Amino acid sequence: MQSYCESGTRASVIPLTEAHAGLVPLVGGKAAGLGELIRAGERVPEGFCVTTEAHRAGVVPQDEVRAAYARLGGGPVAVRSSATDEDLPDASFAGQHDTVLNVEGEADLLAAIGTCWESLHGSRAAAYRQARGTDPADVHMAVVVQRMVAPVRAGVLYTANPVTGNRTEMLVEVGPGTTVVDGRTEVTRVVLADPAGSADPGWQGELWAAGRRVQAHFGTPQDVEWATDHDGTLWLLQSRPVSTLFPVPPQTDDLRVYVEFGNVQGMLRPVTPMGMATLRAMIAAMVASLGMRVEIVDIGGRLYGDLTDLVRRPASRRRLVRLMAVDFGPRAQAVMEHVLRDPRFAPSGGRSRRPADASLSTALRALRGILRALARPDAARRRLVAAVDRLRAEAAAPAHLRTAHERLRFVRDHGDGDGGAADDITWPIVAGMLASALPAHLLRGVATEDEIHAVLRGVPHNVTIEMDLALWALACAARPHRELLLDTPPAELSARYLRGALPEIGLSAFLSRYGHRAAAEADVGVPRWAEDPTPVFAAVANYLRLTDPTQAPDRRFAGAAAAAGAALDELAARVRRRRPVRGRIAIFLLRRARRLAGLRESGKFAGLYRLRTVREQLLLIGATLFPAADDVMFLTLDEVEAALDGADLTGLVARRRATHRRELRRRVVPVALLSDGTDVESTLPAPADGAGLLRGVGAATGRVTGPARVVTDPATAYLEPGEILVTATTDPGWTPLFLTAGALVTETGAIMAHGPTVAREYGIPAVISVPGATSRIVTGQVITVDGAAGTVTTAR
């Protein structure tokens, strides 16, 4: 057989020895992996590949197949699919295509090749591709034919532990014959960490060594099918990347622990490289204000804080669990409690840096600002509003910017000062948060947390809720165009609006006030609503489906405020009798909370003006460098400067875009990681959920039963009135969905986070931190959300 490489032609059949990673379009992922194993010197059953050229032609090349089969010496062979989109770093397609074993004879071999071809568009593979957004027209099928190995023992070796993510362990699933891969019998799982100390170091040690070689060759953890025959010979039957592992943290000399910070902002999606730099600085400054220094690390495009030094410092250990409970949520709290018990993170004063101690002047300024806001809350709110208006005016770019270099200098320098607005914004917000949090402690034993939450419903002056109600008002005004807005896809409506081809419905006025917002808005790389109002049109359509006037969001919010006032009066009468001094202080704070707590969204709202301006200038720079202006968001500022000086970074941008798209598909983001890749939460005991019972944390009281709607993207979310919104996390860009939702269920979050806070304002039940909610609940399933008990019950 003439070599494909020698002939330069697109051969229909080639030996496996000629397959390699560069030939995936011709031989598919499986054959490419086998060819690489052969090149690395591993023992692989001899075979050949019927390439995608034959599949494109639609005819099995019978003469070439017969000749190749004869060269193998005939006898039983394994016939295995090798599609061009399988066994790749971000798509395993494990079990989606057909394999035919113990095939013997030319006629059966030719039929088995046809079976593999047909499986390319089978229901399993089609569903898998649809979920990944792969165009079936771009996929072709090659077929691998190999000598059969008669196995005594067979299995799968993962060169990193796929359950925990630990890169220092390997996991073996082993069983008799070929049953491990086909899943038809029980298998034994063995974790390999030190094969020399195992009960059977022979075959385990050989697997460990093979796994290390294979991983070193491919440069990434591998899922390796293997078998040993009657002679005890180890054969490698397949190797593909382990596609489910979360990216490993940066390698360090010591074991370190990282906690995911993005969920504080309601962000589990990956951040663009440009957004990463902005958020790193912002979060580091936020943590520094609490007297701590934390390095923010990019892991899989997510923001993780390195808390190792804080964990090992005796003074800060005492604060960490409490900090996790307030800002990160109960899942992070449980993880931190586990880490603090881990002897590898025992206190060690010599291994930590000293914290950044807040100066006495800063502490006095904080105390003065908080007391001033509590004493005169309305005056404090007026100062805050004026400060936000100043920041909005100061955020605008000067008119003299002309060149890309001038714009880049502006972006680098923009935001160095706050125009004196920081104190006017910060201390009223802090005062409102303290006034909301302290009464629960003062009234312990007299009032429940649910009663405290009831008093804090319908709180005014929340800019996010004002935005949602403004959008509801827009929908009401747009009712004459109801048919158009309901029958046209939101993306098409957005395109028409941007072309000026839609009737005026008041959207321009809404966007002039709120167009700098979006889901995942803290990432400067994300388009704002003013650029793409698709999510706004989707929300308007959801509002137009609401026909029950008693469920109108403005009426619900007003009702929540009235109920909160009545609850406060009842609570005040009770606590004065049972706890006169502390009760009066608590009631004073609750009344102040109702006037200040709604301001908590204002700081971020103001900061978004600067982000909008920075994004506008970066896009203008990007338009001078790339065909797509937003390619600039996949660079850092230093790289942008290099590109402006002539560096060709188009390849770097393409690679980062591909990585970003892959990470956007990831639905599970670890709460905390160790530097060896371990997902800390995966090592905790599984929650004791009963049949149909999912446990989380109640964040807004109430009990509602209704159909679930699992939503991963608010931009196109369809939500019928009364449906229960189930999602991984939320930020202010999601809250328009709350106006018609019956309840809220999230996988992450803290009680004081955006989603639960707004849910309480509207009076809808919320249960947060329900692990796996978006996969354990399906759209249309009837569920009961009990905000008091913190449970979600699925109908049987």
Side-chain angles (χ1 to χ4, degrees), residues 156-462:
V156 179
L157 169 69
Y158 300 93
T159 66
N161 191 324
V163 178
T164 66
N166 190 330
R167 302 315 202 267
T168 67
E169 297 176 343
M170 297 187 192
L171 180 69
V172 181
E173 292 182 337
V174 58
T178 61
T179 53
V180 172
V181 175
D182 63 27
R184 288 180 293 189
T185 191
E186 292 292 326
V187 299
T188 300
R189 278 191 167 186
V190 181
V191 175
L192 301 182
D194 183 6
S198 69
D200 185 2
W203 68 270
Q204 293 185 13
E206 189 177 8
L207 272 179
W208 175 272
R212 293 189 64 176
R213 293 193 305 270
V214 171
Q215 179 167 304
H217 177 78
F218 287 101
T220 186
Q222 295 289 298
D223 161 354
V224 183
E225 287 184 26
W226 58 273
T228 54
D229 60 20
H230 290 276
D231 298 326
T233 302
L234 174 65
W235 296 89
L236 302 189
L237 309 178
Q238 177 175 296
S239 186
R240 60 187 172 210
V242 183
S243 60
T244 57
L245 289 173
F246 194 77
V248 69
Q251 295 303 291
T252 55
D253 294 333
D254 61 342
L255 188 67
R256 305 195 72 80
V257 58
Y258 304 90
V259 173
E260 205 275 323
F261 275 45
N263 76 85
V264 176
Q265 292 294 327
M267 291 174 56
L268 290 184
R269 56 174 284 155
V271 178
T272 60
M274 189 66 73
M276 182 63 69
T278 304
L279 285 169
R280 270 178 169 162
M282 181 186 77
I283 293 177
M286 176 186 73
V287 175
S289 70
L290 301 175
M292 298 184 291
R293 184 181 297 125
V294 173
E295 180 185 2
I296 305 301
V297 180
D298 176 356
I299 307 175
R302 277 78 177 187
L303 296 135
Y304 280 82
D306 184 347
L307 301 190
T308 313
D309 292 340
L310 298 176
V311 166
R312 289 179 172 147
R313 184 184 303 124
S316 57
R317 285 170 67 91
R318 292 189 293 269
R319 288 193 289 165
L320 278 175
V321 173
R322 186 168 62 251
L323 175 65
M324 294 295 106
V326 173
D327 290 324
F328 293 82
R331 291 173 61 189
Q333 184 181 13
V335 161
M336 187 52 59
E337 289 172 341
H338 175 79
V339 168
L340 293 175
R341 292 192 299 267
D342 190 328
R344 296 175 297 177
F345 292 102
S348 174
R351 301 188 61 166
S352 61
R353 301 172 296 215
R354 291 187 58 81
D357 296 320
S359 67
L360 179 61
S361 63
T362 300
L364 290 174
R365 192 169 76 248
L367 180 61
R368 184 170 58 250
I370 292 168
L371 292 176
R372 187 184 183 195
L374 291 174
R376 300 185 61 198
D378 293 337
R381 181 173 58 82
R382 288 192 293 271
R383 288 193 300 273
L384 179 144
V385 171
V388 171
D389 288 342
R390 289 200 305 276
L391 288 178
R392 180 180 187 179
E394 293 165 3
H400 64 74
L401 299 179
R402 291 290 183 270
T403 70
H405 281 93
E406 289 174 345
R407 298 185 193 282
L408 181 59
R409 282 195 297 272
F410 169 79
V411 168
R412 285 189 182 278
D413 297 339
H414 194 38
D416 288 344
D418 59 25
D423 283 358
D424 288 341
I425 293 175
T426 301
W427 305 127
I429 292 174
V430 173
M433 295 175 71
L434 289 173
S436 301
L438 291 176
H441 299 281
L442 294 171
L443 298 178
R444 187 170 289 133
V446 178
T448 66
E449 286 194 8
D450 285 342
E451 289 177 312
I452 300 296
H453 289 162
V455 170
L456 296 176
R457 290 169 56 185
V459 172
H461 314 310
N462 185 316

Side-chain angles (χ1 to χ4, degrees), residues 615-635:
R615 177 173 170 81
E616 289 170 350
Q617 296 303 310
L618 287 171
L619 289 174
L620 289 170
I621 296 170
T624 70
L625 293 172
F626 306 107
D630 67 341
D631 279 355
V632 74
M633 300 302 173
F634 294 89
L635 299 175

